Amino acid sequence: MSLDEYRTLPAGQQPTWPDVGVLEAACTELRSLPPLVFAGEADRLRTLMAQAAAGEAFVLMGGDCAEMFVDASADKIRNKIRTILQMAVVLTHGASMPIVKMGRMAGQYAKPRSSDVETREGLTLPAYRGDAVNAHEFTPEARRPDPWRMVEAYHRSAATLNLVRAFTMGGFADLRQVASWNRGFMANPAYARYEEMADEVDRAVSFMAACGADFEALKTVDLFSAHEALLLDYERALTRIDSRSGRAYDCSAHFLWVGERTREVDGAHVNLLSKVSNPIGVKIGPRVTAEDVLAIVRALDPEGAPGRLALITRMGADRVREVLPPLVEAVREAGREPVWICDPMHGNTISSGSYKTRRFETIIDEVRGFFEVHRTLGTHPGGLHVELTGDDVTEVLGGSETIDEQGLARRYETSVDPRLNHQQSLEVAFQAAEMLRA
């Protein structure tokens, strides 16, 4: 079936490109560029996702709500990688199983919006849809959608992936070093409750070294790239046919997901991703029905292939214990075993004055509810999907450092949704590790 069938179907959340000729020129350039990832890497991730679906691994997905071109610097990329690796070490110890590590990076340059336009002081302009579409500044020039920004997003993603590979393969990810990073975290007395587990991690690494463990094999890690497959022109231009298998792969990232706002079974996004062989995910919110979920499963994973599909739940802490159980039961009764991943961020957004924020305690409560549902039903809590940064921003209320409403103003830097900072991200990892142990 044609990869371009999606063009005949409804496609939500797409920019209104002002010049079709410029769009085609940008897409032609994208089609001529090398793939950002390779089929074999995507297949490797699919194998690992199959292990997570079977309860033999756990998935950690983390990164910015929306990447910005200005933030594609070595320091910021390194800080995000460091945070994800630290979280993974804590979760590995808590779960006693492999952690599948994915970054919401090297492609998360587009965002869905609730309105096509934004109005300020009587001036109405196109909404900011991410740096791959337009700029955040509220001027007519900045907000004009520009297809060449997709080409810039490609080059920023390529540079990011180059750094990711250098860091994860060049000794930065050495298990001994990653474990030692937690000592700085523990120096803050606010984190005393985590000291015992951090000490256990250090002792375990020391024991392995004393026993002559092959640390050469532990100096590198796999860190896969992931983003929402939102801009159809971009994703199609980077979809390639693998010369070995003859199958199509979306080579913009290892893992792609369909968002809550674009997951219509008869829509363009689901149709395009149904044709590629990458492991893929779908965000599902509290209004979804069991019938909706089963239709999505049939559309994206008709054969029930291991590791093919992840269902990423974003229910809200107040709804997860009520809404999630019938969905899990329906999928299980249909004989399917997707990876169930908890996104505790998007269902818990609130406003505090002029700031969009979230409460750390509410985020943790949704994670706890997610685990409780799966433990009760005897199914596998397969992973976490969190918006985070490696920097010390103040965008999420609470945590052991107790960011309050006045504290939001200190370093509120996000252009779209609030993110966990470095310390809060590690707190999530420690608390999730305790749940995995239970």
Side-chain angles (χ1 to χ4, degrees):
M1 194 174 294
S2 170
L3 285 169
D4 292 312
E5 182 187 12
Y6 77 93
R7 298 184 188 277
T8 67
L9 302 174
Q13 295 292 331
Q14 300 306 288
T16 301
W17 302 113
D19 189 319
V20 175
V22 174
L23 172 62
E24 181 52 36
C27 290
T28 297
E29 175 70 9
L30 285 170
R31 287 192 292 269
S32 74
L33 293 169
L36 290 171
V37 304
F38 302 100
E41 296 172 335
D43 290 342
R44 164 70 176 155
L45 176 58
R46 190 159 166 169
T47 299
L48 296 173
M49 295 295 281
Q51 294 175 10
E56 298 168 357
F58 190 80
V59 178
L60 173 64
M61 302 176 66
D64 278 305
C65 162
E67 293 178 283
M68 299 187 73
F69 293 161
V70 70
D71 290 334
S73 67
D75 286 347
K76 288 187 177 293
I77 294 167
R78 180 199 61 214
N79 289 344
K80 276 186 279 191
I81 294 171
R82 182 185 65 174
T83 301
I84 293 169
L85 294 180
Q86 281 184 269
M87 294 175 72
V89 167
V90 172
L91 290 168
T92 300
H93 188 261
S96 297
M97 66 173 64
I99 304 300
V100 183
K101 295 167 280 293
M102 278 192 263
R104 280 178 58 115
M105 54 199 306
Q108 188 64 13
Y109 285 110
K111 291 294 292 181
R113 307 311 306 227
S114 57
S115 174
D116 288 336
V117 297
E118 181 181 353
T119 300
R120 298 184 192 177
E121 299 178 353
L123 177 62
T124 299
L125 296 175
Y128 172 63
R129 289 189 171 276
D131 275 13
V133 177
N134 52 8
H136 190 259
E137 293 77 19
F138 196 73
T139 66
E141 296 76 19
R143 289 298 178 89
R144 178 182 171 89
D146 179 2
W148 285 103
R149 282 181 160 269
M150 293 191 292
V151 178
E152 178 69 10
Y154 169 92
H155 289 296
R156 298 281 179 166
S157 298
T160 298
L161 284 169
N162 185 50
L163 269 175
V164 168
R165 288 171 172 135
F167 280 134
T168 56
M169 299 296 167
F172 183 75
D174 188 316
L175 181 61
R176 291 164 294 184
Q177 177 168 295
V178 174
S180 71
W181 290 338
N182 285 333
R183 297 190 187 109
F185 173 71
M186 303 315 306
N188 187 328
Y191 301 97
R193 64 171 292 192
Y194 307 121
E195 185 172 1
E196 181 179 352
M197 184 179 292
D199 286 344
E200 288 178 7
V201 172
D202 282 344
R203 284 197 299 271
V205 172
S206 298
F207 174 78
M208 291 168 64
C211 292
D214 179 13
F215 274 97
E216 288 300 315
L218 299 174
K219 286 183 179 179
T220 64
V221 299
D222 288 324
L223 179 59
F224 299 97
S225 64
H227 67 256
E228 180 178 355
L230 185 63
L231 294 179
L232 294 168
D233 294 308
Y234 181 81
E235 303 304 338
R236 177 62 183 93
L238 287 169
T239 298
R240 310 293 164 80
I241 303 299
D242 178 41
S243 59
R244 301 170 306 150
S245 66
R247 299 197 304 268
Y249 288 81
D250 185 341
C251 295
S252 70
H254 300 105
F255 180 92
L256 293 308
W257 75 83
V258 181
E260 168 78 351
R261 297 177 183 179
T262 54
R263 60 170 172 76
E264 294 86 357
V265 173
D266 57 353
H269 291 81
V270 169
N271 182 272
L272 179 59
L273 285 196
S274 72
K275 309 291 180 59
V276 301
S277 295
N278 306 60
I280 55 177
V282 181
K283 291 282 191 81
I284 53 176
R287 292 182 296 276
V288 73
T289 66
E291 291 74 20
D292 292 335
V293 173
L294 290 176
I296 290 168
V297 170
R298 288 190 293 267
L300 290 173
D301 185 23
E303 299 176 357
R308 162 65 171 173
L309 183 62
L311 296 176
I312 307 169
T313 64
R314 39 164 295 177
M315 302 297 178
D318 59 338
R319 302 291 306 279
V320 63
R321 294 169 178 85
E322 168 196 355
V323 176
L324 185 57
L327 306 181
V328 175
E329 289 181 308
V331 172
R332 180 174 59 183
E333 289 172 4
R336 299 305 180 88
E337 193 174 64
V339 186
W340 289 95
I341 297 176
C342 175
D343 169 1
M345 309 294 290
H346 287 89
N348 297 304
T349 304
I350 59 173
S351 295
S352 176
S354 60
Y355 295 104
K356 181 191 291 188
T357 187
R358 292 149 175 160
R359 294 189 183 279
F360 181 84
E361 293 74 14
T362 308
I363 291 168
I364 290 297
D365 188 44
E366 177 156 359
V367 176
R368 188 173 292 111
F370 174 81
F371 272 83
E372 288 171 3
V373 167
H374 285 285
R375 298 302 191 211
T376 299
L377 296 177
T379 49
H380 305 301
L384 289 178
H385 179 121
V386 291
E387 291 182 333
L388 60 82
T389 175
D391 303 323
D392 294 323
V393 300
T394 55
E395 297 170 2
V396 172
L397 296 166
S400 293
E401 292 192 320
T402 318
I403 296 172
D404 57 19
E405 296 189 6
Q406 289 70 40
L408 290 176
R410 289 201 304 271
R411 284 194 63 182
Y412 193 97
E413 299 177 2
T414 182
S415 61
V416 187
D417 287 344
R419 305 158 296 174
L420 299 166
N421 63 28
H422 176 70
Q423 302 282 33
Q424 291 169 327
S425 299
L426 288 178
E427 286 186 73
V428 168
F430 275 107
Q431 295 210 30
E434 291 173 351
M435 297 175 206
L436 285 164
R437 279 181 161 187

